[in-house]
Amino acid sequence: MNPIIRKELHLHMRMRRGWWLLGLYLFALCGTVTLVYYNSAMNARRGNPVGAVVGTNVFHTVVLTQLVVLLFLAPVFSAGSLTIEKEQRTLAGLLTSLLSPFEIWWGKYAASLLYLGLLLFSSLPILSVAVVLGGIGPLEVLAAFGVTALLLASICSIGLYFSSFFRRSVHSTALTYGLLLATHILSFVAFAFLEPSLAEAGFSWKKMPLLLNTFSCMMSVLGIEDFGWKWIWLASLLSFAALGVTASLLASRNLRRSEG
Amino acid sequence: MIEVRGVHKSYGNTKALDGFSLVAEGGDLVGLVGPNGAGKTTLIKILATLVRADAGEIRVAGLDVGHEPSAVRQMTGYLPEVAGIYQEMRVAEFLGFFADAFHLRGTRKKEAVDAALAASGLVPLRARYVEELSLGQKQRLLLAKTTLHSPKVLLLDEPTTGLDPMARLQFRQELRSWQSRDKVILISSHILSDLEEVCTQVVFIADGRNPAKLEPSSDPGKGPQLFCDLEVISDPRAAKQFAESFPGTRAVEARGAQLVVAVDGGKEAAAALLSHLIQSGVKLVRFDPRAQTLEELYRDTFGGSRS
């Protein structure tokens, strides 16, 4: 096992922060489920349908809330992972060991992703509530988990690139958040301007901004909205994958440069 | 084991190294001395494969640093000027992490960690968190980490900065222990007394070049120039004038009633100078001929006389 992965996970779980974060995360998701369930039950009393619709509502809300929280946490774990080594002046020790720049990158990347993966999988019992209520099958749960994991993998890779580029965590973290906010806000602005043309069926270049919006991708996967193009989720995932791979190559190159 | 010939390195328009050369063999403990910005850290970083030289021939244990960096890392242990440390780890865990990073596995890893703990005297502290250690203990831990994979060459950049006298003494003992195992140790430090005590060779560096070279442990009886510590109870200014009037003699330092004078010609010349001073009426309470110290040579080379 890559020693950096082991070190990072040990240190994460040894600190109180690791457990507090996990607790808060699950608390937030439980709160969301309770609110949605309560709201759906109130609607049911007014004569609206229950059962499958309540389950679907709970599932969609929890998946989207989970995505927001994890997108908020991803830069914390990824964008600071290499800069902290620079700030603590421990990067030279890693670069002069027998670990290759790729192994260092991979260790940091996998460690940040594994912790987010722990958060993601810890929410499985909460999501299973939606399955019990009905309207949602295991395949949909699997699809939501897979897409969330892929989106996080891409965001972590971008965060790690900024971490390899900057010397201070505050700069790399701020820029990762800035990029995430900018792409989401810009794509929503574009969505508002281009809304009439989004009704057009099939692919259109006007739908391109939505490819870099994690919510449009997830909404398409969940079947909430397909923006007139049923493959938009796949195009979006491929765009994020391309970004992630490019960011990882650039981060490895930056580490090689620090090395020599 | 270390061969550096005509190395050049520039950062933009600033020349950090400008044709510097250095050769050291097994068992050598080489002190690298020079003012701030002379190029010491850049040279050590090049040897540690952290910085790539622009030109020149650089070999460690016969390996080309530019072309075989991974093999060079296997042969070298590098302790940076400001070495970071994982404060949240336990002592043995910290060493275990770097044993993994140097691809030591199974019993080799356990043996290496145990040996490093024993050599650094940190066995009783193996379960402590690093943040609980004193500065001296942390420095010993860092040296243990640097030597964990039994490198043939040790590159130490200002390793004794901030250490108390006892910790520096322990550090010097560890260096001697490593030197006795036929390792090459290149150490950069501003604490010249430390270097003078342990180094077999001192190499000066200024503006990225070689200005001078010294063997600090030379016998006072053999050297052509001796330095005499004088203490007078008569007028020190007059004593200085009388001393400088003697052929081949110059005053190096004057502090109150104490003088340091350099005299050419070894012990015979020193004896003649002593007679000359007594005959001139200088009242001496101390006259102590010795070899030039590293600090005096440093001042000679880089300026800054205190007289």
Side-chain angles (χ1 to χ4, degrees):
Chain A
M1 188 185 188
N2 184 312
I4 293 178
I5 299 177
R6 196 182 311 142
K7 170 184 86 81
E8 294 286 319
L9 291 181
H10 269 167
L11 296 185
H12 267 315
M13 298 319 290
R14 191 174 286 167
M15 284 190 286
R16 281 186 187 162
R17 192 185 71 171
W19 296 100
W20 272 109
L21 212 58
L22 185 60
L24 278 174
Y25 171 75
L26 293 175
F27 185 75
L29 289 188
C30 286
T32 308
V33 169
T34 310
L35 277 175
V36 175
Y37 185 82
Y38 179 76
N39 190 42
S40 301
M42 290 298 282
N43 285 340
R45 277 190 205 162
R46 291 183 207 118
N48 288 333
V50 285
V53 174
V54 176
T56 309
N57 281 349
V58 167
F59 179 70
H60 288 171
T61 314
V62 170
V63 167
L64 289 173
T65 308
Q66 181 172 257
L67 184 64
V68 173
V69 176
L70 292 177
L71 281 179
F72 185 75
L73 290 176
V76 175
F77 292 102
S78 58
S81 60
L82 282 168
T83 42
I84 193 124
E85 300 280 355
K86 294 176 194 171
E87 285 165 349
Q88 291 180 338
R89 295 176 180 271
T90 43
L91 187 61
L94 298 179
L95 290 171
T96 52
S97 73
L98 294 184
L99 294 172
S100 65
F102 176 77
E103 281 176 304
I104 296 171
W105 174 84
W106 170 245
K108 290 288 182 180
Y109 178 70
S112 55
L113 206 54
L114 278 172
Y115 187 76
L116 291 170
L118 172 71
L119 294 179
L120 184 64
F121 279 92
S122 66
S123 70
L124 203 58
I126 298 170
L127 274 180
S128 66
V129 171
V131 178
V132 170
L133 286 169
I136 295 297
L139 209 63
E140 280 148 308
V141 175
L142 201 68
F145 262 66
V147 170
T148 308
L150 281 172
L151 292 173
L152 287 176
S154 171
I155 303 302
C156 279
S157 182
I158 293 166
L160 211 63
Y161 163 70
F162 286 126
S163 192
S164 71
F165 186 80
F166 288 101
R167 296 198 68 80
R168 304 194 72 75
S169 300
V170 64
H171 298 146
S172 56
T173 310
L175 212 72
T176 313
Y177 276 125
L179 189 75
L180 269 178
L181 270 175
T183 50
H184 282 81
I185 290 171
L186 286 177
S187 57
F188 273 123
V189 170
F191 176 81
F193 276 106
L194 303 171
E195 201 180 0
S197 55
L198 288 174
E200 294 167 14
F203 173 76
S204 155
W205 65 268
K206 290 171 185 171
K207 293 173 185 174
M208 292 290 273
L210 289 174
L211 298 186
L212 291 180
N213 190 313
T214 53
F215 295 103
S216 58
C217 177
M218 188 57 87
M219 282 161 79
S220 166
V221 169
L222 297 176
I224 301 170
E225 173 64 63
D226 70 356
F227 306 98
W229 185 31
K230 67 173 182 175
W231 297 111
I232 195 163
W233 65 274
L234 184 62
S236 183
L237 278 183
L238 288 174
S239 306
F240 274 107
L243 263 180
V245 170
T246 310
S248 66
L249 291 174
L250 291 173
S252 279
R253 195 190 65 166
N254 282 348
L255 272 175
R256 252 183 223 111
R257 276 187 182 170
S258 343
E259 182 192 36
Chain B
M1 273 221 246
I2 296 179
E3 283 179 70
V4 177
R5 294 184 203 282
V7 64
H8 289 262
K9 175 68 191 176
S10 296
Y11 296 104
N13 293 327
T14 310
K15 280 186 178 175
L17 290 170
D18 189 15
F20 183 79
S21 297
L22 161 75
V23 175
E25 297 298 332
D28 279 352
L29 207 163
V30 183
L32 190 62
V33 175
N36 290 329
K40 303 185 293 291
T41 297
T42 302
L43 176 72
I44 290 179
K45 281 185 173 175
I46 288 173
L47 290 166
T49 72
L50 278 174
V51 169
R52 200 177 284 273
D54 297 335
E57 190 185 338
I58 308 121
R59 289 185 172 276
V60 170
L63 300 161
D64 189 308
V65 169
H67 292 108
E68 298 160 282
S70 191
V72 169
R73 277 179 219 136
Q74 178 74 65
M75 296 287 174
T76 54
Y78 168 58
L79 183 60
E81 185 176 1
V82 185
I85 197 161
Y86 298 113
Q87 305 277 2
E88 312 86 357
M89 279 182 155
R90 292 179 193 276
V91 169
E93 192 183 14
F94 178 81
L95 293 174
F97 168 70
F98 278 100
D100 285 333
F102 278 101
H103 299 167
L104 301 173
R105 302 273 185 264
T107 42
R108 277 185 69 207
K109 175 183 169 181
K110 190 181 177 303
E111 281 167 10
V113 171
D114 288 345
L117 285 169
S120 55
L122 293 170
V123 174
L125 306 173
R126 62 181 301 150
R128 285 259 191 101
Y129 282 106
V130 172
E131 64 187 349
E132 294 170 9
L133 303 184
S134 69
L135 188 63
Q137 288 167 338
K138 281 180 187 167
Q139 198 66 359
R140 272 153 57 199
L141 177 62
L142 282 168
L143 189 65
K145 170 237 143 185
T146 308
T147 56
L148 195 63
H149 58 296
S150 301
K152 287 185 168 26
V153 176
L154 281 181
L155 306 166
L156 312 175
D157 196 358
E158 304 279 355
T160 53
T161 306
L163 296 186
D164 65 33
M166 204 59 212
R168 275 166 49 198
L169 183 70
Q170 285 172 336
F171 191 79
R172 290 200 296 267
Q173 283 167 351
E174 280 195 52
L175 284 183
R176 285 199 193 94
S177 143
W178 274 95
Q179 186 193 3
S180 67
R181 280 177 257 174
D182 210 34
K183 314 282 180 191
V184 180
I185 304 170
L186 180 64
I187 177 169
S188 135
S189 177
H190 287 298
I191 304 172
L192 300 180
S193 56
D194 281 357
L195 294 183
E196 194 160 34
E197 198 169 316
V198 293
C199 289
T200 55
Q201 186 190 152
V202 171
V203 178
F204 280 1
I205 181 169
D207 299 324
R209 294 188 288 266
N210 305 70
K213 189 177 172 183
L214 168 82
E215 299 290 341
S217 54
S218 59
D219 184 345
K222 291 179 185 171
Q225 190 178 54
L226 281 184
F227 281 65
C228 306
D229 293 321
L230 275 63
E231 190 173 346
V232 297
I233 51 172
S234 55
D235 179 12
R237 276 176 298 181
K240 187 184 171 194
Q241 280 173 358
F242 285 126
E244 284 185 320
S245 68
F246 188 75
T249 304
R250 67 187 168 92
V252 175
E253 195 178 325
R255 271 182 300 173
Q258 292 179 343
L259 291 174
V260 179
V261 293
V263 54
D264 292 332
K267 282 184 175 175
E268 289 294 325
L273 171 66
L274 178 61
S275 301
H276 169 73
L277 290 172
I278 291 168
Q279 282 165 12
S280 307
V282 176
K283 290 180 180 171
L284 286 159
V285 289
R286 189 159 71 97
F287 185 90
D288 185 11
R290 56 169 174 78
Q292 187 181 25
T293 64
L294 189 53
E295 192 180 319
E296 286 159 347
L297 183 58
Y298 185 91
R299 261 186 277 147
D300 270 2
T301 311
F302 299 111
S305 167
R306 283 194 280 170
S307 55

